[in-house]
């Protein structure tokens, strides 16, 4: 699990958030192996945490055999992609964990549909540009074709 300590937030609040996240993980049948925190002046737009801390997390995850890393705050789609590429394991944030818990607990068809809709709304911005490598329309300004002209 990874949390950050930003200016104006004290260590007690961060520890309370991480303890809550640990309980949420336990509810989802996830065993917590390690908790990492980092003091930041601002969130890194590329990796959420600093590059050095990301390298430390990579080493620690490989050492303890972690197959899932949970961030305490919501990750942007680009942060999620960058972190997954660097860490080479599944990454989720607090919101995704909570949605997974709701999905596992939903009983009625209506509840399951509501949770599924919430999951799709959460995932939609994270799927953007995922399949562009399959696109055949990669032309741009100045690229015209003359197929079929005699």
């Amino acid at each position: 699990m990874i949390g950050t300590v930003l200016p104006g937030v004290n260590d007690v609040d961060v520890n309370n958030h991480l303890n809550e996240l640990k309980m949420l993980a336990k509810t989802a049948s996830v065993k917590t192996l390690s908790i990492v925190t980092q003091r930041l002046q601002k969130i890194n737009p590329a990796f959420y945490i600093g590059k050095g801390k990301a390298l430390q997390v990579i080493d620690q995850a490989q050492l303890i055999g972690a197959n899932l890393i949970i961030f305490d705050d919501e990750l942007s789609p680009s942060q999620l992609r960058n972190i997954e590429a660097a860490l080479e394991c599944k990454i989720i944030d607090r919101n995704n964990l909570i949605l997974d818990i709701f999905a596992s607990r939903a009983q009625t068809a209506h509840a399951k549909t509501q949770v599924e809709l919430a999951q799709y709304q959460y995932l939609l911005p994270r799927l953007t540009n995922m399949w562009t490598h399959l696109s055949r329309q990669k032309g741009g300004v100045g690229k015209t074709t003359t197929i079929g002209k005699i």
Side-chain angles (χ1 to χ4, degrees), residues 69-81 84 90-100 114-128:
I69 296 176
I70 304 172
F71 280 78
D72 189 34
D73 295 313
E74 184 175 359
L75 298 173
S76 72
S78 62
Q79 288 170 336
L80 186 64
R81 269 192 310 276
E84 278 185 339
K90 185 172 181 180
I91 307 295
I92 63 173
D93 57 18
R94 177 182 282 265
N95 293 347
N96 200 351
L97 178 62
I98 292 170
L99 286 171
D100 285 348
Q114 292 289 19
V115 171
E116 193 172 351
L117 176 62
Q119 286 176 319
Y120 288 147
Q121 288 174 334
Y122 176 79
L123 287 175
L124 181 62
R126 286 150 180 82
L127 297 175
T128 304

Side-chain angles (χ1 to χ4, degrees), residues 1-3 15 18-19 22 32-37 60:
M1 293 186 182
I2 300 176
N15 287 334
L18 288 171
N19 285 334
K22 187 175 180 179
T32 302
L33 300 176
S34 178
I35 296 176
V36 175
T37 59
Q60 189 173 359

Side-chain angles (χ1 to χ4, degrees), residues 1-6 11 14-15 17-18 34-40 48-50 53 56-57 60 72:
M1 293 186 182
I2 300 176
T4 55
V5 182
L6 297 170
D11 291 341
V14 171
N15 287 334
H17 270 257
L18 288 171
S34 178
I35 296 176
V36 175
T37 59
Q38 182 178 26
R39 290 190 180 282
L40 294 172
Y48 185 78
I49 55 177
K53 186 61 78 169
Q56 178 187 344
V57 168
Q60 189 173 359
D72 189 34

